[in-house]
């Protein structure tokens, strides 16, 4: 809907969804894709939404409110490495991890959602380095891959986005359209992503991977320090000036035109020759 449809097709698609109340049929509402579609249209195609009929707007608002209420149930999971089958069940594992993370029994803190084996390697490196982090953090209809704590300024968070091999088109260095859409939407949701790309990660040894993540973490921490200093300097510049005491202010002087040659002398206005005889 976001990448390949024109506005006319989007309009027809949304009208049909509203007419059939798509996603709200059956015992369990399946709104994952629709929640993501609604968020994309709201962030990137506002002019289209404004021009839609009122019943379509009410339907999209219903989808948004349900996704806000459901939260974990409306998450769009990352694409799996391969379909579930004899070689593994990656999508099923992600779904089970998401259910464990959302479970009230565990407090939502014990479950980690990994999008790939490379994601697990990045998390293992951060754990070995002693950097506190969480895998699979809720952000709109998406899950952030890794959210690490800034060890210098714990109030700050550093978001790592893991671009594994299956997130690229086969035989190219171009990310898939779905992955690029995810990056764009997370940026619009206010997240600053720091990429860990498969071409740079794959040839590294275990020790080099640790060094890579340590340098990446240190660079981001230094960047946060610079931003904090800039914000402090800007806040200082915007601070109000101290008020002057009434007795410290100078008395106002009467307005007087002064000569450029001698500032103490009053301004002399030259008389044109045609007026000099008349003055006499």
């Amino acid at each position: 809907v976001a990448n390949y449809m024109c506005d006319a097709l989007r309009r027809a698609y949304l009208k049909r969804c509203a007419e059939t109340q798509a996603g709200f049929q059956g015992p369990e509402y399946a709104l994952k894709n629709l929640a993501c579609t609604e968020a994309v249209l709201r962030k990137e195609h506002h002019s289209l939404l404004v021009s839609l009929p009122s019943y379509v707007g009410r339907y999209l608002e219903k989808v948004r409110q349900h996704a806000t209420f459901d939260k974990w149930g409306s998450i769009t999971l990352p694409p799996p490495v391969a379909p579930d089958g004899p070689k593994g069940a990656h999508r099923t594992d992600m779904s089970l991890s998401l259910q464990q993370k959302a479970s009230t029994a565990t407090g939502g803190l014990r479950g980690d959602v990994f999008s790939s084996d490379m994601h697990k390697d990045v998390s293992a490196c951060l754990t070995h380095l002693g950097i506190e982090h969480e895998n699979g953090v809720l952000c709109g209809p998406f899950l952030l891959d890794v959210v690490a704590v800034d060890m210098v300024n714990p109030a700050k968070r550093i978001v790592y986005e893991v671009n594994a091999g299956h997130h690229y088109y086969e035989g190219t260095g171009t990310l898939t359209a779905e992955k690029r859409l995810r990056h764009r939407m997370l940026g619009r949701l206010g997240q600053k992503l720091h990429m860990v790309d498969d071409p740079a990660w794959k040839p590294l040894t275990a020790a080099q991977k640790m060094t890579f993540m340590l340098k990446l973490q240190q660079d981001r921490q230094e960047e946060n320090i610079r931003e904090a200093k800039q914000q402090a300097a800007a806040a200082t510049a915007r601070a109000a000036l101290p008020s002057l005491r009434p007795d410290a202010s100078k008395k106002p002087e009467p307005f007087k035109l002064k000569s450029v040659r001698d500032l103490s002398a009053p301004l002399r206005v030259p008389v044109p020759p045609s007026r000099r005889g008349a003055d006499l």
Side-chain angles (χ1 to χ4, degrees):
V1 176
N3 292 325
Y4 305 112
M5 284 187 179
C6 62
D7 284 349
L9 287 176
R10 293 189 187 105
R11 189 185 304 275
Y13 170 76
L14 293 174
K15 284 183 178 180
R16 186 58 179 165
C17 288
E19 290 169 358
T20 60
Q21 291 294 299
F24 293 97
Q25 308 294 338
E28 295 183 1
Y29 296 156
L31 289 173
K32 293 182 179 181
N33 292 334
L34 284 170
C36 183
T37 301
E38 187 275 332
V40 171
L41 295 176
R42 177 161 38 88
K43 292 291 184 180
E44 297 191 337
H45 301 278
H46 181 71
S47 59
L48 172 66
L49 295 185
V50 173
S51 65
L52 291 173
S54 58
Y55 71 93
V56 180
R58 291 194 297 269
Y59 167 75
L60 292 176
E61 179 63 20
K62 180 180 178 182
V63 172
R64 187 188 68 81
Q65 291 181 357
H66 182 82
T68 303
F69 172 78
D70 197 18
K71 289 185 179 180
W72 297 101
S74 300
I75 291 297
T76 302
L77 291 174
V81 179
D84 291 353
K87 293 186 177 181
H90 185 207
R91 180 171 288 277
T92 302
D93 292 342
M94 283 193 294
S95 299
L96 293 175
S97 299
L98 184 63
Q99 292 177 9
Q100 182 182 5
K101 193 175 186 66
S103 174
T104 56
T106 59
L109 298 176
R110 292 177 53 189
D112 283 328
V113 183
F114 296 105
S115 60
S116 61
D117 291 338
M118 179 179 167
H119 186 177
K120 294 180 181 179
D121 289 346
V122 172
S123 177
C125 289
L126 292 175
T127 301
H128 187 80
L129 293 171
I131 299 173
E132 184 180 352
H133 65 283
E134 185 177 355
N135 300 289
V137 178
L138 186 67
C139 181
F142 302 102
L143 287 177
L144 300 175
D145 284 344
V146 183
V147 178
V149 177
D150 189 327
M151 305 306 289
V152 177
N153 185 4
K156 295 284 187 179
R157 295 293 182 268
I158 301 173
V159 181
Y160 295 110
E161 178 74 3
V162 181
N163 298 320
H166 67 282
H167 295 147
Y168 294 85
Y169 288 115
E170 187 69 26
T172 69
T174 304
L175 290 169
T176 61
E178 183 178 357
K179 194 68 172 178
R180 294 198 305 271
L181 174 64
R182 168 187 165 85
H183 293 171
R184 196 166 67 246
M185 286 301 300
L186 289 176
R188 290 183 180 275
L189 291 172
Q191 301 296 333
K192 189 175 182 180
L193 303 179
H194 304 288
M195 305 298 177
V196 183
D197 298 322
D198 179 73
W201 181 267
K202 195 172 183 179
L204 300 179
T205 63
Q208 290 173 339
K209 290 177 180 178
M210 303 285 292
T211 305
F212 179 88
M213 289 307 303
L214 179 60
K215 185 178 184 304
L216 195 59
Q217 178 78 9
Q218 289 175 342
D219 291 344
R220 300 290 79 79
Q221 291 178 171
E222 291 175 0
E223 183 180 347
N224 289 338
I225 292 174
R226 287 194 300 270
E227 290 179 355
K229 290 181 179 179
Q230 292 175 357
Q231 293 175 359
T236 304
R238 290 194 303 266
L241 296 174
S243 59
L244 298 176
R245 294 180 300 174
D247 55 349
S249 60
K250 295 182 179 180
K251 295 181 180 180
E253 297 181 357
F255 179 74
K256 183 188 296 184
L257 293 175
K258 297 183 179 181
S259 173
V260 179
R261 297 178 181 177
D262 187 4
L263 296 179
S264 61
L267 181 66
R268 295 180 60 186
V269 181
V271 180
S274 59
R275 299 287 299 173
R276 289 175 185 172
D279 294 341
L280 295 175

